Amino acid sequence: MAAADSPSSALRRRDLCSRGIRLAGKMRSDVVDLLDTYVERQGLDASLSVAAVEGVPTAAVERWDEQTGTQRLLENLAAYRAFRVLLAQMLEEQREQLGEADAPLGRALASVLLQVSAFAYHLEELLRLESRGPPSEERAAPPPAPHLGLFERKLRGLGVLRELAQWAVRSVRDLRQLAKPGTGSSSAPGPAESP
Amino acid sequence: ESHTQYERVGADVTMKCGSMDWDAAVTWTANGTDIDESHLNGSYLILKNVDLTQSGQYSCYEGSSWHLKYQTSLRVGTPPKEPVLMCRSNNYPKGFYCSWHLPTPTYIPNSFNISVIHGTSEMVCEKDVFLKNRCHIRYLQLFSTVKYKVTLTVTNALGKNSTTLTFDEFAIVKPDPPESVVAKPVPNNPRRLEVSWQNPSSWPDPESFPLKFFLRYRPLILDQWQHVELSDGTSHTITDAYAGKEYIIQVAAKDNDIGTWSDWSVAVHATPWTEEPKHLTTEAQVTETTSASTSSFMPPPTTKIYDKGAVVGSGAVAVCWTAGLVLAAYGVLFI
C-alpha cells in the first residue's frame, strides 16, 4: 500500500486513469460505429435479441459500487484479454467469409482490436502501479472458435460487440472510481468519503 | 346491510329490493329523493342507459311500514383504457422509477399492479411515499445488456387493461434539470453574462458519473436561441450578449456517456452591465428596444462546443483559455 500511496505514484495513477478514460471513451464510440457497420454488412436486424454468448465476458455486475480498485482492474483486464482473442477470431472469420470484399468492416474490426489491445496494456500498467503485477496471460493457444453455422457466427459476433460496448462504458466508470482521491487499491470506496 | 354496485356507463340496471317479492309495494329513493313509479317494474327499480349523474345512494322502503329493506351505492363508471406508462432513471446508477396514469378517468376505484422483469428475475418495485402512481426499482446489476420488461395492469370492478414497456439500462437515463441557475452581469463588461448552476440534487454521484450541460440563451426580443454545449464545469460566461438587452437563459443536463438530455431548467433572466445608471436612461432604453425589434437582421445560429482544448469563436478565446487554465489548476489541486 505504501508504494501505491506515494505522491508520485498517485499522480501517475491519476494520469493513467485520465488517459484510460479517454481511450475507453474513444473505444466505445468506435465500437458503437462498428456495431452499426456490422449489423448492416452482415444483414442483421439491429433489434435482434442475442442470448448470452458463451465465452464472452459479460459486463453486467452486482454491487459494482462496492468493488475495490484492484478488483475493477482485474475484471477489466480479464475481459479485454478475452475480447482481444474474440475479435481476432472474428477478423479471421470475416476475412475467410468475405475475403477482401468487405474492407471497411475488416478495417473497423482491426481498429477496434488494436484499441482493445492498447487498453489491455494500459490496464496492466495500472495494475503494476497497484504494487501487484498483472496476472500472467496464458500463452497457450486460445480455445478454437466453436463450430457454428454462418448465421450463428454472425449472431455471436453481434453478441461480442454489444458486450464490448457495455464494457467500454463500464471501464470509463471504473477508471473514474479509481481516479478518486483517497481510493486505495484494496479499500472499497464509500459513496461519500468524509475527511 | 349496505351494498355497492358498479355499472358501466350506458348499461341498463335492475335493482331488486332485497328479498321482497316482485309484487310487493315499495318506494325507492335516490339520495333521499323519492323515485317516480314510472321507473319501477313491480318492486324492481329499472334504470336504463345509466350515466355518471345517476351514481348515488339508492334505498328501498316497504310500502306501508317505511322499513328500510335494501340499500345500495350505485357507482357508474367505465372499464380502464390502456394505461400510459413511463420509466426513467434520474438517479443513475441507483435505480429507476416508473410512473403511470390513465388516459381517461373511470370514475370508480382502480387498482394497479406492476411487474418488473430483468431476464429471468422479478424485481421489486417499491411504492413511492407521496405519489400513488409511482414506484421505485433499485438496480441489482449495472452494465447489463439484458432488457427490462415492465408490465402495468390496471383493474377495476368493470374490467382490466395493461401495457408493457421494454428497455435497456442506458436508454432510460435522463437526469433532472440543473438547479439554482443564476445569471449575473459582469461589471464593466456590457456584452457578458456570467451563468452558473448546480447538478440536480437527485443525481447521486456526479463525481463518478459526471454530467455534461447544454446552455441556451437569447435576448427576450428575439426568437432564435444560441446554444453552447459544455463537457464539464457548472458555469459559463456568455461573451456575445447584445448590450443592454434582457436575456433569458436555460440549462439542461445529460450523463456524460449514456441516456438523454434532461428537460430545460427554470428560465432565468439577466441583463448585461450598462454604463449609465438605469433610472437616467429609461427613456433611451425604450427607444432603443423599439428600434431593435424592427430591425431586419437575425444573428446567425451558432453552436459552440466547449472542450478543454477546443475553442471556437473570436472574443470567446480569452475567456475559454482562462476558464480552461482555472479548471486545469483546480484539477491538479484535486489529486
Side-chain angles (χ1 to χ4, degrees):
Chain A
M1 273 284 280
D5 281 359
S6 76
S8 62
S9 71
L11 253 165
R12 170 118 178 95
R13 194 219 280 154
R14 228 187 113 69
D15 177 54
L16 278 172
C17 283
S18 316
R19 283 199 282 133
I21 288 167
R22 280 199 295 279
L23 269 173
K26 163 92 172 81
M27 185 166 52
R28 190 230 177 165
S29 168
D30 285 358
V31 171
V32 167
D33 290 343
L34 172 57
L35 259 166
D36 288 340
T37 309
Y38 188 84
V39 160
E40 197 201 308
R41 299 291 184 171
Q42 301 288 31
L44 297 168
D45 182 348
S47 63
L48 255 173
S49 261
V50 184
V53 190
E54 201 193 301
V56 177
T58 36
V61 56
E62 292 184 15
R63 300 203 172 88
W64 174 84
D65 51 326
E66 292 172 21
Q67 289 198 323
T68 64
T70 308
Q71 260 178 307
R72 294 179 196 280
L73 289 171
L74 288 171
E75 285 186 26
N76 271 267
L77 182 58
Y80 287 96
R81 278 177 173 173
F83 279 118
R84 196 161 53 195
V85 172
L86 289 164
L87 287 172
Q89 279 173 353
M90 275 175 70
L91 197 55
E92 193 56 46
E93 284 168 8
Q94 193 258 343
R95 281 182 185 144
E96 275 173 22
Q97 178 202 326
L98 298 161
E100 293 307 307
D102 203 345
L105 180 56
R107 271 199 300 272
L109 265 169
S111 161
V112 167
L113 173 54
L114 202 61
Q115 291 180 63
V116 164
S117 300
F119 195 67
Y121 177 75
H122 206 85
L123 292 166
E124 285 169 7
E125 282 294 299
L126 270 161
L127 270 164
R128 267 181 264 272
L129 212 60
E130 300 297 314
S131 61
R132 136 164 218 163
S136 63
E137 198 169 359
E138 286 129 37
R139 288 293 167 197
H147 284 286
L148 297 170
L150 181 59
F151 186 64
E152 278 83 8
R153 259 185 279 152
K154 290 184 183 186
L155 285 185
R156 187 176 157 81
L158 185 62
V160 169
L161 294 178
R162 277 193 185 151
E163 214 57 56
L164 178 57
Q166 299 292 101
W167 264 106
V169 175
R170 176 174 162 183
S171 300
V172 170
R173 313 293 199 188
D174 278 325
L175 290 177
R176 280 208 198 102
Q177 287 293 94
L178 216 65
K180 274 181 168 172
T183 307
S185 56
S186 50
S187 62
E193 300 215 296
S194 42
Chain B
E1 179 194 327
S2 193
H3 303 87
T4 306
Q5 198 170 339
Y6 294 99
E7 299 289 344
R8 280 185 196 222
V9 170
D12 295 337
V13 182
T14 302
M15 283 190 208
K16 293 188 188 174
C17 187
S19 53
M20 301 287 278
D21 292 331
W22 176 80
D23 55 359
V26 299
T27 308
W28 281 91
T29 63
N31 296 326
T33 310
D34 283 15
I35 298 176
D36 188 74
E37 273 180 19
S38 59
H39 291 107
L40 267 59
N41 176 356
S43 65
Y44 297 173
L45 174 63
I46 314 288
L47 298 171
K48 286 202 179 285
N49 191 19
V50 290
D51 62 44
L52 297 167
T53 61
Q54 288 171 289
S55 295
Q57 185 89 294
Y58 288 80
S59 311
C60 175
Y61 300 91
E62 190 180 8
S64 46
S65 64
W66 276 94
H67 280 146
L68 177 63
K69 285 293 175 184
Y70 181 76
Q71 200 168 55
T72 184
S73 172
L74 176 67
R75 308 285 301 275
V76 181
T78 62
K81 289 217 163 83
E82 187 180 330
V84 177
L85 176 65
M86 165 281 260
C87 296
R88 183 179 151 216
S89 174
N90 66 341
N91 61 345
Y92 190 80
K94 284 219 173 116
F96 62 96
Y97 71 84
C98 291
S99 206
W100 55 89
H101 67 269
L102 286 170
T104 52
T106 60
Y107 304 98
I108 59 176
N110 307 299
S111 69
F112 297 93
N113 187 355
I114 193 162
S115 89
V116 181
I117 297 177
H118 184 221
T120 51
S121 37
E122 170 117 31
M123 300 178 78
V124 172
C125 198
E126 282 162 30
K127 286 193 215 238
D128 187 280
V129 175
F130 302 108
L131 300 162
K132 68 176 174 70
N133 284 6
R134 183 178 290 201
C135 67
H136 302 264
I137 298 103
R138 237 176 297 186
Y139 278 127
L140 297 174
Q141 274 188 344
L142 286 180
F143 313 110
S144 173
T145 46
V146 175
K147 290 193 192 260
Y148 290 82
K149 188 167 146 179
V150 181
T151 303
L152 175 76
T153 307
V154 55
T155 310
N156 69 19
L158 301 173
K160 67 200 273 191
N161 212 325
S162 70
T163 188
T164 301
L165 266 185
T166 309
F167 52 84
D168 55 55
E169 183 187 313
F170 293 172
I172 58 163
V173 176
K174 177 179 169 179
D176 286 328
E179 293 171 9
S180 310
V181 183
V182 172
K184 289 193 285 217
V186 179
N188 302 304
N189 272 294
R191 302 205 63 195
R192 291 192 177 189
L193 284 169
E194 222 166 57
V195 190
S196 66
W197 58 91
Q198 277 169 13
N199 288 312
S201 48
S202 51
W203 196 252
D205 191 359
E207 216 183 300
S208 311
F209 294 83
L211 295 170
K212 60 182 175 185
F213 302 96
F214 213 83
L215 192 112
R216 70 175 185 180
Y217 58 96
R218 65 173 172 86
L220 284 181
I221 54 171
L222 293 175
D223 289 330
Q224 195 107 30
W225 292 96
Q226 300 277 83
H227 293 108
V228 182
E229 186 170 329
L230 299 150
S231 58
D232 54 21
T234 53
S235 65
H236 176 71
T237 303
I238 295 166
T239 56
D240 61 351
Y242 293 107
K245 302 290 176 274
E246 187 180 349
Y247 271 77
I248 178 169
I249 299 148
Q250 288 179 297
V251 193
K254 180 185 168 305
D255 175 89
N256 213 46
D257 309 296
I258 61 175
T260 58
W261 288 98
S262 71
D263 291 340
W264 289 108
S265 69
V266 164
V268 293
H269 293 239
T271 308
W273 174 92
T274 47
E275 210 168 321
E276 296 108 313
K278 272 196 171 165
H279 69 270
L280 290 177
T281 57
T282 314
E283 257 185 68
Q285 278 186 339
V286 167
T287 327
E288 202 186 2
T289 314
T290 322
S291 62
S293 62
T294 57
S295 70
S296 59
F297 85 98
M298 283 290 278
T302 52
T303 302
K304 296 171 255 187
I305 313 287
Y306 280 91
D307 213 334
K308 278 214 176 101
V311 164
V312 174
S314 62
V317 178
V319 179
C320 290
W321 260 110
T322 321
L325 283 171
V326 169
L327 283 170
Y330 221 60
V332 170
L333 281 172
F334 259 107
I335 293 168

